[in-house]
Amino acid sequence: MTRILLSLAVFVFFALCVYGMWHGWKRRQREQAGLPAFPSTPETLGAARLETTGVYIGTTNAGNWQDRVQVGDIGFRAEATLSLVPEGVAIERVGASPIFIPAGSIRGARTDRGLAGKVMFSEEGLLVVQWENDGHLFDTGFRGDDKDVYDEWVAALVGGKA
């Protein structure tokens, strides 16, 4: 009987934790409902000048590396291809909608250790693009399969070649 009660207590605790996470996710979505809509990807894009594969980590409100944007499916991590095209930065995510950052919106780029709750061991584990959308600053993070290309990406994005 004690074993059954203990098992039931563990199950109830686990269910409460899952409910708390779900409730927190929904609350954050409601709070972020006023954020500007993300730009849609243009019908046609020019040839990619840089391209790399990896994982889209997430988008946060700039300056707060843990404040993940969770509107729609923007908050979902996914395998992705990051492309620098003349129109901006295109992120094609597997199993989620694409994300597009117009070239004129890009305010900076850097490598960083953490974003959206993801922390890397290396100081240069993530490529982060800072961009502006309707007066609101965002940081979008990407963990590339090949981190040796980060310097080239930062130079291209910061140097105004985006």
Side-chain angles (χ1 to χ4, degrees):
M1 183 66 165
T2 304
R3 195 180 301 196
I4 292 173
L5 288 176
L6 183 60
S7 296
L8 185 60
V10 169
F11 175 76
V12 168
F13 177 75
F14 177 74
L16 285 173
C17 289
V18 170
Y19 173 75
M21 289 186 294
W22 176 80
H23 184 66
W25 183 277
K26 291 298 184 183
R27 180 186 49 79
R28 186 174 294 210
Q29 283 183 329
R30 282 191 308 274
E31 289 173 359
Q32 295 177 348
L35 290 176
F38 277 43
S40 58
T41 304
E43 297 265 338
T44 58
L45 295 173
R49 291 183 284 181
L50 290 174
E51 191 169 89
T52 190
T53 58
V55 177
Y56 164 79
I57 297 300
T59 297
T60 65
N61 290 302
N64 189 348
W65 71 279
Q66 291 184 337
D67 189 12
R68 177 194 300 264
V69 174
Q70 295 180 190
V71 177
D73 71 347
I74 299 298
F76 298 159
R77 288 189 181 133
E79 290 183 26
T81 300
L82 183 69
S83 303
L84 178 61
V85 294
E87 296 82 6
V89 175
I91 305 171
E92 287 294 325
R93 300 184 298 161
V94 176
S97 62
I99 296 173
F100 180 72
I101 303 170
S105 297
I106 297 171
R107 299 295 176 254
R110 67 184 187 280
T111 57
D112 211 332
R113 183 180 192 138
L115 187 79
K118 179 74 170 175
V119 179
M120 308 297 290
F121 291 112
S122 164
E123 289 291 329
E124 299 179 346
L126 299 173
L127 175 65
V128 179
V129 178
Q130 188 171 81
W131 57 288
E132 186 176 352
N133 185 21
D134 287 339
H136 193 92
L137 281 175
F138 295 101
D139 285 337
T140 295
F142 187 83
R143 182 185 52 142
D145 293 333
D146 180 10
K147 291 167 188 53
D148 293 335
V149 300
Y150 286 177
D151 290 337
E152 189 177 2
W153 274 89
V154 170
L157 293 169
V158 173
K161 301 173 191 170

